[in-house]
Amino acid sequence: MEFYDILVRLMDPSLLLTILICTLYGAMVGALPGLSATMAVALLVPFTFFMDPVTAIAAIVATTSTGIFAGDISGALLRIPGTPASAAYVADSSTIAHNGRPRTILFVSLFSGVCGGIIGVIALSLATPMLARFATNFSSDEMFWLAALGLSCAVFVASAPPAKTFASLFIGLAIATVGIDVAVGMPRYTFGLYDLYDGVDFISAMIGFFALTELFRAALVRRNPAGEPIPLRMEPLWTAIKNALGIIRTRWAAVVRSGPLGVLIGVLPGAGSDVAAWIAYALSRRFSRTPEKFGHGHDEGIVAGGASNNAAVSGAWTPALVFGIPGDSVTAIAIGVLMMKGLTPGPDIFERSGEIVYTLFGAFLIANIFMIFTGALAILLASQLLRMPKSLLMPLVLALSLIGGFAVMNTVFSIWIIIALGILGFLMILGGIPIAPAILGVVLGKTLEQNFMTSMIKAQGDFTQFFSRDIAMVLGLATILIWGLCLYRAVRTIIAPPQQVNHKGYEA
Amino acid sequence: MDVSRDAVTGMVLMLAGIAMFVGAQGFSPAAGLQFGAGFFPKIVSCGMAFSGMLILLGALRQSQPDRLTMDWRGLGRIGLLVALIAGYALALDPLGYHLSTIALLFTVALFFGASWWASSILAVSATLILHFVFYSVMRVSLPWGVLLPYSW
């Protein structure tokens, strides 16, 4: 009977319409070079504020999965990956596109993305309830260590130097300390501004970090260096689809191998679809019978990368839903949205709102199926989309960011937060500090502090109490181990700096 | 002496961490507790200063550091953009959403190199669409400002 209820909920026309619109929106934004899937989600969040929880999360999922696929469009046609997740196989896909088969290779990307996405949803719906059952009797000790572990993994797997990733994390945590404190209710770092008593509004922070920062980066140069897309000869649609299906059928092993791999990498906090694509690409090259063809227009790596980056989108939701620990920056945003809706993620989410969670999984599946059609539409419109000038796109992004922040808080103060964090994010980029860990810090900061203070007060300041429970001890030791490894790596780069060859040469 | 990019980054982070620590000194714990509102911020500020120190040390040890180069033209352009947005935030309530958004879209489109007529078409049409979506559909109370007598 419960199954029937979920089915009825899924058939809700407003939910289906939202998913359809969002797959379309994700496809458009993802295809435009310079606009990432994360930015698409950041601009979407103000709208989700006015939706019910399931619709809101479904909207985010639909936007990301199509956005990740659509990044391949500008990758194949312009050689500029639309999102970082398509960077791994951009050499292959653009070579094939320029050899006269652009649509075929885009359909290969689309179909492998859909397969990866569906594998991801299946893994998600199987793994999450199991993990949740395991985690139901976690206390604040375990939850503190889990949050700490999540943050540390983000440092461990990040591609930037550990010291800089740590710095980004602490910047995010520092932003999270602004406002009334969780333990005794004292206002902190508010500078006498009442608007800051509730803390830095998370939606405005997101928009500032992801949208304004991109805008500033675009403003650095006066003209778009990308230039005009080379006019490509497009093959007939049906031939392209038929050929693409044929390629997927012969490369099914790559899909079956890369899908679960993508899920696993997506689960790791900090490692999202871009890492998944790189690893799947490298792995399929190792297993391939023709590794020398990779990078010169071979479709095997595209299938592997395309499947795994979309599978990672779903994988990232597992720790997000069960532990409230985001697997990547998009789920970090989504956790913030869930918290706003009063649907705090945690091990008991299945008992509190099981029906919502299962409806959510259904919505994930629908989003991946709708993606076939909207993705095909984006492929058809590809050359028109790529001709959209930056001079008209950027003002639109700006206007949408500002009204989005305003709509949620209904005060001009949100615009000031957007400006301040946009500048902060831009300075971080100038200093070589990655932004995504800071977002994890902003989202996890309050949870981390609350669990930490609860445990601390319970133990009356005795830090050893954090290791008194079995699972807490294991988690704590794992966290400390990872901290040690990160610290070791950071110190090693100081003692023995990597000898880098400077190709640019120094002019006086 | 050349200043490397990482040295500046590390120094700024250390200063920020110290400032935050000093600020946290002011949050005294509640009676009967050894730790209060200032405890967690102190940990965070130490972490920030420490990572700043690691970055700084790494920069000092590097044989061929990235030199800090200032693209003053680019920074000037960004300063102009920030000034436009700040002006928008100031104008939003007194002038109203519609007029200030049209002005912002128009100037920012020009800023990114669009032609006069493209900028004006974009400004007016995008403002109308945003008005429809946020005001009419999502019922956000956008400020009308000077246009209040003509509001609908």
Side-chain angles (χ1 to χ4, degrees):
Chain A
M1 210 72 263
E2 204 179 287
F3 183 73
Y4 178 75
D5 283 347
I6 293 167
L7 218 57
V8 169
R9 274 169 184 248
L10 280 176
M11 288 302 126
D12 177 15
S14 74
L15 177 70
L16 294 178
L17 189 67
T18 310
I19 296 179
L20 186 69
I21 292 174
C22 285
T23 50
L24 211 54
Y25 164 74
M28 301 297 145
V29 177
L32 295 164
L35 306 187
S36 65
T38 315
M39 183 180 179
V41 174
L43 291 179
L44 178 77
V45 168
F47 294 93
T48 62
F49 191 72
F50 300 89
M51 301 172 183
D52 66 83
V54 172
T55 319
I57 299 301
I60 293 177
V61 173
T63 306
T64 2
S65 37
T66 37
I68 296 283
F69 149 69
D72 297 352
I73 294 181
S74 71
L77 301 190
L78 294 184
R79 228 177 245 275
I80 306 167
T83 64
S86 343
Y89 43 87
V90 73
D92 286 299
S93 61
S94 65
T95 310
I96 296 179
H98 289 88
N99 286 344
R101 292 193 298 152
R103 282 184 176 160
T104 309
I105 203 59
L106 286 175
F107 273 107
V108 169
S109 285
L110 176 62
F111 294 145
S112 53
V114 170
C115 293
I118 291 174
I119 291 177
V121 175
I122 295 171
L124 178 70
S125 48
L126 292 179
T128 345
M130 265 170 5
L131 265 181
R133 254 200 308 283
F134 173 68
T136 32
N137 47 4
F138 278 15
S139 72
S140 63
D141 298 354
E142 280 95 1
M143 289 313 281
F144 165 75
W145 282 121
L146 265 179
L149 192 65
L151 289 176
S152 326
C153 281
V155 176
F156 193 62
V157 297
S159 48
K164 289 189 171 173
T165 322
F166 264 127
S168 172
L169 210 52
F170 282 117
I171 291 173
L173 289 174
I175 293 171
T177 60
V178 173
I180 302 269
D181 104 274
V182 286
V184 290
M186 177 183 276
R188 299 184 301 199
Y189 306 112
T190 53
F191 306 103
L193 296 168
Y194 283 107
D195 288 299
L196 279 179
Y197 271 46
D198 260 350
V200 174
D201 172 52
F202 143 84
I203 293 180
S204 311
M206 206 72 48
I207 293 174
F209 265 150
F210 288 118
L212 267 227
T213 307
E214 285 305 315
L215 205 69
F216 288 158
R217 222 190 330 204
L220 266 181
V221 277
R222 204 175 139 61
R223 291 277 172 210
N224 196 351
E228 284 289 296
I230 315 114
L232 290 173
R233 204 174 47 81
M234 298 278 178
E235 67 271 47
L237 189 62
W238 286 115
T239 332
I241 294 178
K242 218 166 61 200
N243 289 343
L245 282 175
I247 290 176
I248 296 283
R249 207 162 25 215
T250 50
R251 300 281 180 221
W252 63 270
V255 175
V256 171
R257 190 172 53 225
S258 309
L261 178 76
V263 177
L264 280 181
I265 295 168
V267 170
L268 290 180
S273 34
D274 44 345
V275 182
W278 281 109
I279 295 182
Y281 183 82
L283 209 68
S284 76
R285 181 183 207 158
R286 176 128 350 132
F287 279 109
S288 170
R289 265 182 241 119
T290 51
E292 71 283 352
K293 283 191 189 163
F294 277 67
H296 306 287
H298 195 44
D299 50 38
E300 199 172 344
I302 300 172
V303 175
S308 77
N309 62 17
N310 273 76
V313 171
S314 307
W317 286 87
T318 311
L321 285 173
V322 180
F323 303 126
I325 296 172
D328 60 3
S329 37
V330 168
T331 39
I333 298 176
I335 286 178
V337 172
L338 281 174
M339 285 175 170
M340 279 193 316
K341 304 277 177 204
L343 199 76
T344 314
D348 51 345
I349 193 166
F350 283 92
E351 279 143 51
R352 277 186 287 120
S353 20
E355 227 164 272
I356 292 185
V357 180
Y358 284 113
T359 315
L360 214 55
F361 292 159
F364 283 27
L365 201 61
I366 294 177
N368 271 296
I369 292 166
F370 279 12
M371 184 175 133
I372 302 174
F373 304 104
T374 46
L377 191 64
I379 293 175
L380 277 181
L381 297 175
S383 35
Q384 278 79 7
L385 276 176
L386 297 180
R387 229 172 277 143
M388 181 94 181
K390 185 177 91 167
S391 57
L392 299 181
L393 209 57
M394 289 301 162
L396 280 180
V397 169
L398 178 64
L400 203 57
S401 315
L402 297 180
I403 195 183
F406 181 87
V408 172
M409 297 256 283
N410 229 318
T411 145
V412 177
F413 191 75
S414 64
I415 296 183
W416 294 113
I417 294 183
I418 292 176
I419 297 177
L421 289 190
I423 294 174
L424 176 67
F426 186 68
L427 290 178
M428 283 164 67
I429 289 181
L430 283 187
I433 298 177
I435 290 183
I439 283 298
L440 299 194
V442 172
V443 171
L444 285 187
K446 289 262 188 286
T447 323
L448 193 67
E449 181 176 9
Q450 195 163 21
N451 287 312
F452 180 66
M453 292 309 280
T454 311
S455 290
M456 219 49 185
I457 289 171
K458 214 162 56 184
Q460 306 204 313
D462 179 12
F463 198 70
T464 55
Q465 286 292 314
F466 275 95
F467 299 96
S468 61
R469 293 161 56 96
D470 285 347
I471 300 173
M473 192 177 73
V474 173
L475 291 173
L477 289 181
T479 312
I480 289 171
L481 187 74
I482 288 180
W483 282 347
L485 280 173
C486 291
L487 211 59
Y488 166 74
R489 280 209 313 214
V491 171
R492 198 187 52 192
T493 50
I494 294 173
I495 296 170
Q499 292 301 316
Q500 56 199 34
V501 190
N502 201 316
H503 297 292
K504 280 172 271 174
Y506 281 107
E507 66 272 50
Chain B
M1 189 193 114
D2 287 332
V3 185
S4 81
R5 183 187 73 167
D6 283 1
V8 176
T9 313
M11 221 113 71
V12 169
L13 280 168
M14 282 174 72
L15 287 179
I18 292 168
M20 197 179 157
F21 192 87
V22 172
Q25 293 282 354
F27 314 139
S28 49
L33 286 173
Q34 299 107 306
F35 29 80
F39 193 60
F40 192 74
K42 276 180 192 166
I43 299 177
V44 173
S45 62
C46 289
M48 191 141 68
F50 183 68
S51 50
M53 193 185 73
L54 286 181
I55 295 174
L56 180 63
L57 285 179
L60 294 179
R61 290 274 310 175
Q62 225 165 31
S63 47
Q64 287 180 324
D66 281 352
R67 273 189 317 167
L68 188 69
T69 44
M70 280 294 175
D71 171 13
W72 293 113
R73 270 182 79 94
L75 287 186
R77 286 176 60 78
I78 289 173
L80 187 63
L81 192 58
V82 171
L84 283 176
I85 305 170
Y88 176 75
L90 291 175
L92 194 58
D93 270 330
L95 208 59
Y97 176 73
H98 307 83
L99 292 181
S100 36
T101 306
I102 288 177
L104 179 81
L105 278 168
F106 181 69
T107 43
V108 173
L110 284 184
F111 173 90
F112 277 107
S115 61
W116 283 84
W117 62 269
S119 307
S120 5
I121 293 173
L122 174 84
V124 175
S125 54
T127 306
L128 285 178
I129 294 171
L130 287 176
H131 168 90
F132 173 73
V133 172
F134 280 89
Y135 187 83
S136 310
V137 178
M138 286 161 60
R139 309 243 166 248
V140 175
S141 57
L142 299 172
W144 282 91
V146 290
L147 288 183
L148 192 60
Y150 309 100
S151 67
W152 68 86

